Amino acid sequence: MTETAVGEVLAELAALDDPKIRVVNQRHGDDHGVNLGKLRAVAKRLKTQQELAIRLWATDDTAARLLALLICRPRAFGRDELDAMLREARAPKVHDWLVNYVVKKNPHVEELRAAWFADPDPAVASAGWALTTDRVAKKPDGLDLSGLLDTIEAEMKTAPDRLQWAMNHCLAQIGIEHPEHRARALDIGERLEVLKDYPTSPGCTSPFAPTWITEMVRRQHA
Protein backbone atom coordinates (compact mmCIF):
# COMPACT_ATOMS: atom_id res chain seq x y z
CA MET A 1 0.00 0.00 0.00
CA THR A 2 1.64 3.22 -1.16
CA GLU A 3 1.67 6.63 0.52
CA THR A 4 -0.47 7.87 -2.37
CA ALA A 5 -3.13 5.31 -1.54
CA VAL A 6 -3.05 6.39 2.12
CA GLY A 7 -3.47 9.97 0.94
CA GLU A 8 -6.46 8.97 -1.16
CA VAL A 9 -8.13 7.35 1.84
CA LEU A 10 -7.46 10.43 3.99
CA ALA A 11 -8.92 12.62 1.27
CA GLU A 12 -12.04 10.43 1.14
CA LEU A 13 -12.43 10.68 4.91
CA ALA A 14 -11.97 14.46 4.76
CA ALA A 15 -14.72 14.67 2.14
CA LEU A 16 -17.04 12.71 4.43
CA ASP A 17 -16.43 15.04 7.37
CA ASP A 18 -19.70 16.69 8.44
CA PRO A 19 -19.40 19.78 10.68
CA LYS A 20 -22.69 18.96 12.43
CA ILE A 21 -21.50 15.45 13.30
CA ARG A 22 -18.18 16.89 14.46
CA VAL A 23 -19.96 19.20 16.91
CA VAL A 24 -21.93 16.28 18.38
CA ASN A 25 -18.83 14.08 18.64
CA GLN A 26 -16.80 16.83 20.30
CA ARG A 27 -19.22 16.76 23.23
CA HIS A 28 -17.96 13.23 23.89
CA GLY A 29 -14.30 14.05 23.32
CA ASP A 30 -14.11 12.66 19.78
CA ASP A 31 -12.49 15.02 17.27
CA HIS A 32 -13.92 13.76 13.99
CA GLY A 33 -17.03 14.40 11.92
CA VAL A 34 -17.43 11.24 9.85
CA ASN A 35 -20.73 9.36 10.08
CA LEU A 36 -19.84 5.91 11.43
CA GLY A 37 -22.14 4.16 8.97
CA LYS A 38 -20.26 5.79 6.10
CA LEU A 39 -16.95 4.95 7.76
CA ARG A 40 -17.99 1.29 7.97
CA ALA A 41 -18.96 1.38 4.29
CA VAL A 42 -15.44 2.55 3.41
CA ALA A 43 -14.01 -0.26 5.54
CA LYS A 44 -16.24 -2.82 3.84
CA ARG A 45 -14.98 -1.69 0.45
CA LEU A 46 -11.31 -1.73 1.47
CA LYS A 47 -11.60 -5.10 3.24
CA THR A 48 -8.79 -6.30 5.52
CA GLN A 49 -5.49 -4.54 4.82
CA GLN A 50 -3.04 -4.71 7.72
CA GLU A 51 -0.34 -2.54 6.16
CA LEU A 52 -2.82 0.18 5.27
CA ALA A 53 -4.25 -0.02 8.78
CA ILE A 54 -0.81 0.54 10.29
CA ARG A 55 -0.20 3.55 8.05
CA LEU A 56 -3.61 5.03 8.81
CA TRP A 57 -3.03 4.63 12.54
CA ALA A 58 0.29 6.45 12.22
CA THR A 59 -1.47 9.56 10.86
CA ASP A 60 -2.85 10.32 14.36
CA ASP A 61 -6.14 11.32 12.69
CA THR A 62 -9.16 10.07 14.64
CA ALA A 63 -11.30 9.07 11.66
CA ALA A 64 -8.31 7.36 10.04
CA ARG A 65 -7.57 5.46 13.24
CA LEU A 66 -11.18 4.29 13.51
CA LEU A 67 -10.97 3.04 9.92
CA ALA A 68 -7.65 1.35 10.70
CA LEU A 69 -9.28 -0.60 13.52
CA LEU A 70 -11.97 -1.85 11.11
CA ILE A 71 -9.58 -3.08 8.40
CA CYS A 72 -6.72 -4.46 10.50
CA ARG A 73 -5.95 -8.06 11.46
CA PRO A 74 -6.45 -8.12 15.25
CA ARG A 75 -4.31 -11.20 15.77
CA ALA A 76 -1.37 -9.68 13.86
CA PHE A 77 -0.43 -7.18 16.58
CA GLY A 78 2.17 -7.90 19.22
CA ARG A 79 1.59 -7.22 22.90
CA ASP A 80 3.84 -4.16 22.97
CA GLU A 81 2.24 -2.77 19.82
CA LEU A 82 -1.21 -2.91 21.40
CA ASP A 83 0.06 -1.38 24.63
CA ALA A 84 1.56 1.52 22.71
CA MET A 85 -1.59 1.97 20.62
CA LEU A 86 -3.80 2.15 23.70
CA ARG A 87 -1.58 4.80 25.25
CA GLU A 88 -1.76 6.79 22.00
CA ALA A 89 -5.54 6.48 21.69
CA ARG A 90 -6.66 9.96 22.73
CA ALA A 91 -10.26 9.87 21.50
CA PRO A 92 -12.74 7.79 23.55
CA LYS A 93 -14.20 6.13 20.44
CA VAL A 94 -10.74 5.06 19.26
CA HIS A 95 -10.00 3.73 22.75
CA ASP A 96 -13.27 1.75 22.84
CA TRP A 97 -12.92 0.30 19.33
CA LEU A 98 -9.30 -0.68 19.97
CA VAL A 99 -10.28 -2.61 23.09
CA ASN A 100 -13.45 -4.18 21.70
CA TYR A 101 -12.58 -4.82 18.05
CA VAL A 102 -8.88 -5.61 18.30
CA VAL A 103 -7.56 -6.41 21.78
CA LYS A 104 -10.41 -8.80 22.63
CA LYS A 105 -9.52 -10.83 19.51
CA ASN A 106 -5.77 -10.83 20.15
CA PRO A 107 -3.91 -13.75 21.77
CA HIS A 108 -2.32 -11.35 24.30
CA VAL A 109 -5.67 -10.17 25.68
CA GLU A 110 -5.37 -11.74 29.13
CA GLU A 111 -1.80 -10.55 29.63
CA LEU A 112 -2.83 -7.03 28.63
CA ARG A 113 -5.93 -7.14 30.83
CA ALA A 114 -3.84 -7.92 33.90
CA ALA A 115 -1.21 -5.29 33.07
CA TRP A 116 -3.64 -2.50 32.26
CA PHE A 117 -5.93 -3.19 35.22
CA ALA A 118 -3.34 -1.87 37.67
CA ASP A 119 -1.90 0.89 35.46
CA PRO A 120 -1.54 4.33 37.09
CA ASP A 121 -2.99 6.02 33.98
CA PRO A 122 -6.78 5.99 34.52
CA ALA A 123 -7.49 5.76 30.78
CA VAL A 124 -5.27 2.69 30.49
CA ALA A 125 -6.74 1.22 33.68
CA SER A 126 -10.22 1.67 32.24
CA ALA A 127 -9.25 -0.69 29.40
CA GLY A 128 -8.17 -3.26 31.97
CA TRP A 129 -11.52 -2.90 33.70
CA ALA A 130 -13.39 -3.20 30.39
CA LEU A 131 -11.60 -6.46 29.61
CA THR A 132 -12.27 -7.68 33.15
CA THR A 133 -15.98 -6.92 32.69
CA ASP A 134 -15.92 -9.04 29.55
CA ARG A 135 -14.45 -11.91 31.57
CA VAL A 136 -17.04 -11.43 34.33
CA ALA A 137 -19.71 -12.13 31.72
CA LYS A 138 -18.00 -14.82 29.63
CA LYS A 139 -15.11 -16.47 31.55
CA PRO A 140 -15.39 -15.64 35.26
CA ASP A 141 -13.39 -18.65 36.47
CA GLY A 142 -10.25 -17.41 38.20
CA LEU A 143 -11.56 -13.92 38.86
CA ASP A 144 -11.93 -12.72 42.45
CA LEU A 145 -15.39 -11.19 42.17
CA SER A 146 -15.50 -10.26 45.86
CA GLY A 147 -12.14 -8.54 45.47
CA LEU A 148 -13.40 -6.62 42.46
CA LEU A 149 -16.39 -5.45 44.49
CA ASP A 150 -14.03 -4.38 47.29
CA THR A 151 -12.05 -2.23 44.86
CA ILE A 152 -15.17 -0.77 43.27
CA GLU A 153 -16.60 0.06 46.69
CA ALA A 154 -13.40 1.81 47.75
CA GLU A 155 -12.42 3.61 44.55
CA MET A 156 -15.29 4.08 42.08
CA LYS A 157 -16.87 7.14 43.70
CA THR A 158 -13.76 9.29 43.19
CA ALA A 159 -12.35 7.68 40.03
CA PRO A 160 -11.86 9.82 36.88
CA ASP A 161 -14.80 9.69 34.47
CA ARG A 162 -13.61 7.05 31.99
CA LEU A 163 -12.31 4.75 34.74
CA GLN A 164 -15.44 5.32 36.81
CA TRP A 165 -17.63 4.34 33.86
CA ALA A 166 -15.64 1.12 33.35
CA MET A 167 -15.78 0.21 37.04
CA ASN A 168 -19.51 0.90 37.11
CA HIS A 169 -20.02 -1.41 34.12
CA CYS A 170 -18.10 -4.13 35.95
CA LEU A 171 -20.26 -3.60 39.05
CA ALA A 172 -23.42 -3.95 36.98
CA GLN A 173 -22.12 -7.03 35.15
CA ILE A 174 -21.28 -8.78 38.41
CA GLY A 175 -24.78 -8.04 39.70
CA ILE A 176 -26.43 -9.21 36.48
CA GLU A 177 -24.45 -12.40 35.89
CA HIS A 178 -23.71 -13.62 39.42
CA PRO A 179 -26.75 -13.94 41.72
CA GLU A 180 -24.59 -14.76 44.74
CA HIS A 181 -23.05 -11.26 44.53
CA ARG A 182 -26.18 -9.42 43.40
CA ALA A 183 -27.31 -8.08 46.77
CA ARG A 184 -23.89 -6.62 47.49
CA ALA A 185 -23.60 -5.13 43.99
CA LEU A 186 -27.00 -3.47 44.39
CA ASP A 187 -26.02 -2.16 47.84
CA ILE A 188 -22.75 -0.68 46.58
CA GLY A 189 -24.55 1.01 43.70
CA GLU A 190 -27.24 2.45 45.95
CA ARG A 191 -24.73 3.83 48.46
CA LEU A 192 -22.25 5.30 45.98
CA GLU A 193 -24.96 6.74 43.67
CA VAL A 194 -22.53 6.84 40.71
CA LEU A 195 -24.37 7.86 37.50
CA LYS A 196 -27.66 7.98 39.41
CA ASP A 197 -28.68 11.19 37.64
CA TYR A 198 -27.15 10.36 34.25
CA PRO A 199 -29.51 11.57 31.48
CA THR A 200 -31.04 8.56 29.76
CA SER A 201 -33.03 8.64 26.52
CA PRO A 202 -36.56 7.18 26.52
CA GLY A 203 -36.47 3.43 25.95
CA CYS A 204 -32.85 3.13 27.11
CA THR A 205 -31.67 1.58 30.37
CA SER A 206 -30.02 3.88 32.89
CA PRO A 207 -26.31 3.22 33.57
CA PHE A 208 -27.04 3.62 37.30
CA ALA A 209 -25.99 0.15 38.44
CA PRO A 210 -29.03 -0.78 40.60
CA THR A 211 -31.42 0.21 37.80
CA TRP A 212 -29.27 -1.52 35.19
CA ILE A 213 -28.97 -4.74 37.21
CA THR A 214 -32.66 -4.87 38.06
CA GLU A 215 -33.77 -4.30 34.46
CA MET A 216 -31.40 -6.87 32.94
CA VAL A 217 -32.32 -9.51 35.50
CA ARG A 218 -35.99 -8.82 34.79
CA ARG A 219 -35.38 -9.38 31.09
CA GLN A 220 -33.54 -12.63 31.78
CA HIS A 221 -36.58 -13.96 33.61
CA ALA A 222 -39.20 -12.50 31.27
Side-chain angles (χ1 to χ4, degrees), residues 1-3 6 50-60 64 68:
M1 181 57 61
T2 65
E3 293 293 347
V6 173
Q50 180 69 3
E51 182 60 28
L52 176 58
I54 291 171
R55 290 174 180 266
L56 289 173
W57 182 271
T59 66
D60 195 27

Side-chain angles (χ1 to χ4, degrees), residues 34-176:
V34 180
N35 175 280
L36 295 182
K38 294 180 179 179
L39 188 77
R40 291 180 187 279
V42 174
K44 185 176 181 179
R45 189 187 77 242
L46 292 173
K47 299 184 173 62
T48 301
Q49 295 191 50
Q50 180 69 3
E51 182 60 28
L52 176 58
I54 291 171
R55 290 174 180 266
L56 289 173
W57 182 271
T59 66
D60 195 27
D61 176 82
T62 295
R65 284 187 162 181
L66 290 172
L67 180 60
L69 296 172
L70 293 176
I71 66 170
C72 72
R73 290 188 179 88
R75 298 182 66 82
F77 292 103
R79 179 205 180 282
D80 291 344
E81 284 181 286
L82 290 174
D83 183 72
M85 289 169 71
L86 185 79
R87 295 175 192 279
E88 295 168 0
R90 299 168 293 99
K93 184 65 72 176
V94 172
H95 182 280
D96 291 344
W97 281 20
L98 175 61
V99 171
N100 287 293
Y101 295 171
V102 180
V103 178
K104 285 183 180 180
K105 300 175 182 178
N106 184 274
H108 301 288
V109 59
E110 181 57 22
E111 184 183 353
L112 289 168
R113 182 196 72 80
W116 290 342
F117 186 85
D119 198 276
D121 183 331
V124 175
S126 73
W129 276 90
L131 293 171
T132 299
T133 300
D134 194 56
R135 269 200 62 186
V136 166
K138 298 175 182 177
K139 297 172 63 177
D141 289 351
L143 288 180
D144 179 4
L145 298 181
S146 293
L148 289 173
L149 290 175
D150 289 343
T151 302
I152 291 168
E153 187 171 20
E155 301 177 13
M156 183 172 72
K157 183 75 172 180
T158 58
D161 288 350
R162 195 182 299 185
L163 177 56
Q164 184 184 72
W165 189 275
M167 295 174 81
N168 183 72
H169 189 183
C170 190
L171 173 64
Q173 204 68 56
I174 291 173
I176 293 164

